[in-house]
Amino acid sequence: MRHTTTSPTAGTATGPVRHARALAVAGGTSLALLALAACGGGGTEDAGGADGTDGGAGGTVTLVTHDSFAVSEDVLAAFEEESGLTVEQVAPGDGGALVNQLVLTKDAPLGDAVFGIDNTFASRAIDEGVLEPYTPAGLSDSAAQYTIGDGELTPVDLGDVCINVDHTWFTEQGIPEPVTLEDLTKPEYRDLLVVTNPATSSPGLAFLLATVGAFGEDGWEDYWADLRDNGVKVVDGWSDAYYVDFSGAEGAGPRPLALSYSTSPAFTVTEDGTASTTGALLDTCFRQVEHAGVLANAENPEGARELVDFLVSEAFQADVPEQMYMYPADDSVALPEGWAEFAPLSEEPFDVAPEKISANRDEWIQAWTATVVG
């Protein structure tokens, strides 16, 4: 996963940007080039360094990422001063577009390092050989549990994709709020839900996987048929779902149930800070983990390793919640005030094994399209 002072559109540099990213259309094709100054921590290959030496690579290193990667200018500036690296960012689109571009350009990669490959697309990136193994020395134990492959993908942040609910709408209508996935198919919630397309949106794919985890490979299609018959609306990207169709974000839309993140309600807190006008249904969630890695055939692999070190460093991890509105992978990092109450993670998110995602992702998306879109 995000939000901004106006709206979490791709490329903004504030917290909810995380939203906008997961949210942006995965099929975007334009490249946004942003000059960033950053630096690395002198990491080493397999927790030691490619050649076992210390010191920065210097020069320019290019980070390929999704549209709404964000970091505070002062954090980057301090990092740049320490390492001597200048980081240029290339942003091909949402998580799906990011992986697609990495695969298409793997022999002549768009950059040196990547950030933003999540656990729904991770297996494809590894299987296609776009990454080289690297384990940063500073990786926390809490982050290490989410490592994928043999070090190809290093966890940086995580968040839960969940259905969000507009408390105000349900209170005014006198209708009890839904709680579970099953509730969303009931007649009283007809025409109230908007979600994103798993073929074009990474949160959409995450929610599809939540239903696979909840109902099994033999039951998820029937569940989506029930949602279809109950008037679910499907849009391509998160920003449309959350800011156009959802009634709870800026109050403009007609639907009080929308696919977003468990952190989203922290952006609809009342002025006195005592309540949020929206909430996340924590029994509907799939945990999304975003990773970084060193690209195979990189022009500056040493700089790429330093950059990955930076992304798991305390300075960057502490910056993640306010900049990208995700949880830092390092759970020792202090969270913003109010997150415990208004942006909690699900205690039991639905899960699908990475190998199953790898083997079935395309087939599941095709089956979903046939069932829901036709």
Side-chain angles (χ1 to χ4, degrees), residues 102-109 296-297:
L102 294 178
V103 171
L104 291 172
T105 62
K106 64 182 180 181
D107 293 329
N297 303 312

Side-chain angles (χ1 to χ4, degrees), residues 63-69 89-94 98 113-116 324:
L63 177 66
V64 187
T65 185
H66 53 59
D67 284 335
S68 53
F69 172 81
Q89 180 184 346
V90 176
D94 189 26
L98 173 63
V114 59
F115 167 76
M324 293 192 285

Side-chain angles (χ1 to χ4, degrees), residues 165-327:
V165 57
D166 178 359
H167 293 317
T168 301
W169 189 95
F170 280 97
T171 297
E172 291 176 350
Q173 297 297 319
I175 300 173
E177 296 178 359
V179 175
T180 66
L181 290 171
E182 290 87 347
D183 287 345
L184 300 175
T185 66
K186 294 179 179 179
E188 55 264 43
Y189 306 115
R190 182 175 181 83
D191 298 331
L192 301 186
L193 174 64
V194 58
V195 301
T196 54
N197 191 325
T200 57
S201 162
S202 57
L205 178 55
F207 187 60
L208 169 57
L209 295 175
T211 64
V212 173
F215 301 106
E217 295 184 54
D218 295 329
W220 71 266
E221 289 180 66
D222 290 338
Y223 174 75
W224 276 99
D226 290 340
L227 283 183
R228 177 201 64 207
D229 294 344
N230 208 40
V232 65
K233 182 175 181 178
V234 178
V235 296
D236 282 340
W238 173 87
S239 58
D240 282 340
Y242 195 81
Y243 282 104
V244 176
D245 288 291
F246 187 39
S247 62
E250 296 177 344
R255 295 187 176 235
L257 298 168
L259 183 64
S260 194
Y261 284 79
S262 73
T263 52
S264 298
F267 270 85
T268 57
V269 174
T270 56
E271 288 188 8
D272 62 7
T274 61
S276 178
T277 60
T278 67
L281 305 184
L282 297 181
D283 291 332
T284 67
C285 305
F286 182 88
R287 182 147 302 160
Q288 187 178 50
V289 182
E290 292 189 311
H291 299 79
V294 176
L295 292 174
N297 303 312
E299 290 188 5
N300 188 354
E302 186 178 347
R305 290 188 283 270
E306 290 188 74
L307 187 53
V308 173
D309 287 347
F310 168 48
L311 296 176
V312 301
S313 70
E314 182 178 356
F316 185 86
Q317 289 287 293
D319 203 42
V320 164
E322 295 286 6
Q323 289 299 311
M324 293 192 285
Y325 242 66
M326 294 288 273
Y327 276 77

